[in-house]
Amino acid sequence: MIIAHISDTHIALDTDDADQRIRDFESTIVDINALDPAPDVIVHTGDIVHNGRADEYAQAVATLAKARAPVYVMVGNKDDRGNLLKAFAGCGYLGANSEFVDYAVEDFPVRLVMLDTLNPSSNKGDFCSKRVARLKEMIDAETTKPIAVFTHHPPFEVPVGPEPHHFDSREAMADLTDTLQSSGRVIAVFCGHVHRFAHGNIGDIAASVVTAISTTLRKGEYPAEADARPLYHLHRFDPKRGFATETRIVGLRS
Ligand SMILES: [Fe+2]
């Protein structure tokens, strides 16, 4: 099983770099479509758009409609739950009136559990008791397969960058990580938000962050060949060895 993991496209229509953000998103989808073998699924870990606007989502939906693999999305701090749910209503996996953008994907040897860590009044993440209960329910709905969890905000300390903690409340983050660890079946946590690559652990669970697709917004150091080219992750799952992650540079074929 191969997961193409993208994040932080920040589609905007009226910034100086708006066209570049759209080009970065489009070229990434073209690159993913050309992969051989093709990925089974594409996951976008949020900050799909920059201002939560319906016209921004229309642009993002048009780009994602060109993807050959099924696409699953979630909210980041720049997203708007209501407008996102409306924009992606036709995709069939989001409840139009859902209080949170969280759900499980059951079509693969690894279950994909998508979490909503949005706090509409903060750039940092939140995970309230309602979401803990919803996560427990999703985890317990199937007890035989391993689980990969996707979140926008990384629920672990990220030692690179100015801000190691990405949740407003340490307690909320601990409630989330305790729940992730309690089943013993969560084998990986994949995140966005930080706009740079990072790795960590949640107990025995490997966790990582993929950088922003938007080349104008990403942070950190990158190799020269990645200059002006978006970067994304491919997570390959093997039943015996678990996940191995490869970083892809858009437009460069190895
Ligand atoms: Fe972002």
Side-chain angles (χ1 to χ4, degrees):
M1 177 187 183
I2 303 174
I3 303 168
H5 176 197
I6 63 177
S7 200
D8 295 86
T9 44
H10 286 264
I11 293 304
L13 302 178
D14 49 13
T15 58
D16 290 344
D17 65 342
D19 289 346
Q20 185 61 49
R21 296 187 199 187
I22 293 169
R23 277 198 299 275
D24 288 338
F25 197 4
E26 293 265 338
S27 63
T28 300
I29 297 303
V30 168
D31 195 87
I32 293 171
N33 282 344
L35 289 170
D36 183 15
D40 297 284
V41 62
I42 300 169
V43 179
H44 191 314
T45 43
D47 281 2
I48 301 167
V49 304
H50 197 67
N51 301 293
R53 282 166 31 183
D55 53 357
E56 296 171 336
Y57 282 114
Q59 176 66 50
V61 166
T63 300
L64 287 174
K66 296 171 189 168
R68 292 197 179 130
V71 179
Y72 294 95
V73 300
M74 66 190 63
V75 275
N77 48 292
K78 297 288 189 186
D79 288 303
D80 177 275
R81 278 195 193 104
N83 283 343
L84 184 151
L85 288 170
K86 271 186 221 145
F88 289 92
C91 297
Y93 61 87
L94 294 173
N97 299 312
S98 182
E99 187 176 2
F100 299 105
V101 185
D102 55 1
Y103 54 96
V105 179
E106 310 285 1
D107 304 344
F108 304 106
V110 180
R111 299 180 70 216
L112 311 180
V113 170
M114 316 302 194
L115 298 186
D116 179 333
T117 55
L118 175 63
N119 175 355
S121 58
S122 170
N123 277 331
K124 289 194 172 187
D126 189 19
F127 212 69
C128 54
S129 55
K130 264 191 191 174
R131 279 175 274 190
V132 170
R134 291 166 71 101
L135 173 57
K136 281 184 182 153
E137 212 171 281
M138 283 192 281
I139 287 175
D140 291 343
E142 206 279 352
T143 57
T144 64
K145 291 190 205 171
I147 300 169
V149 168
F150 291 81
T151 71
H152 181 69
H153 299 86
F156 58 96
E157 193 169 316
V158 176
V160 291
E163 192 59 70
H165 297 108
H166 297 281
F167 281 71
D168 278 315
S169 148
R170 294 288 188 92
E171 290 72 26
M173 191 171 98
D175 287 346
L176 167 54
T177 55
D178 288 350
T179 309
L180 293 177
Q181 292 177 90
S182 61
S183 75
R185 293 192 305 280
V186 177
I187 60 166
V189 176
F190 300 122
C191 315
H193 182 62
V194 187
H195 293 204
R196 59 178 87 217
F197 291 115
H199 293 273
N201 286 88
I202 299 163
D204 293 334
I205 307 168
S208 66
V209 176
V210 71
T211 191
I213 288 297
S214 167
T215 55
T216 52
L217 295 177
R218 71 187 182 198
K219 300 186 174 72
E221 301 296 317
Y222 299 92
E225 62 264 35
D227 199 26
R229 295 175 183 275
L231 298 157
Y232 65 95
H233 270 164
L234 285 182
H235 306 299
R236 290 191 178 81
F237 175 73
D238 177 278
K240 287 194 180 127
R241 292 184 292 276
F243 277 106
T245 294
E246 175 193 356
T247 299
R248 300 289 305 185
I249 303 174
V250 165
L252 285 191
R253 285 276 166 260
S254 52

